[in-house]
Amino acid sequence: MKHHLSLLLMLSIGLSACTSIVTGHRQIDSAAAADLAVQSAQIRAAERQERAEFRQEERESLMDQADAIQRATGGNAAAYLIY
């Protein structure tokens, strides 16, 4: 009986070791971390620039539309365009 209990205890310890949540300690090299930080900053800057260009293009498009409406109505606020 004592043999079966110790065998069961060893098997349960082995099974819990195989299915443990903790997988080990992983260290990231400081040079690699610095490279990742630089790349991340470059990507964020590029995305920020792209969004700024998109907003500028949208503003220009809206201003072009407003100019077209202004020319079509001759500046008369009483004239309405239905489109």
Side-chain angles (χ1 to χ4, degrees):
M1 178 73 175
K2 192 173 185 181
H3 175 67
H4 294 292
L5 186 58
S6 65
L7 181 61
L8 183 62
L9 180 63
M10 290 302 222
L11 288 174
S12 66
I13 289 172
L15 182 62
S16 66
C18 291
T19 60
S20 176
I21 295 174
V22 178
T23 58
H25 181 68
R26 188 178 91 167
Q27 292 181 344
I28 298 176
D29 185 24
S30 62
D35 288 341
L36 287 175
V38 168
Q39 289 175 354
S40 177
Q42 289 173 343
I43 290 170
R44 280 195 309 266
E47 288 175 348
R48 193 175 303 120
Q49 179 65 30
E50 187 176 329
R51 287 192 305 269
E53 289 173 2
F54 177 76
R55 286 192 304 268
Q56 182 63 31
E57 289 171 0
E58 283 294 312
R59 285 187 195 111
E60 288 174 3
S61 174
L62 288 174
M63 293 305 289
D64 289 345
Q65 290 175 9
D67 263 356
I69 291 172
Q70 183 73 22
R71 284 192 311 267
T73 61
N76 187 1
Y80 296 102
L81 292 177
I82 299 174
Y83 61 96

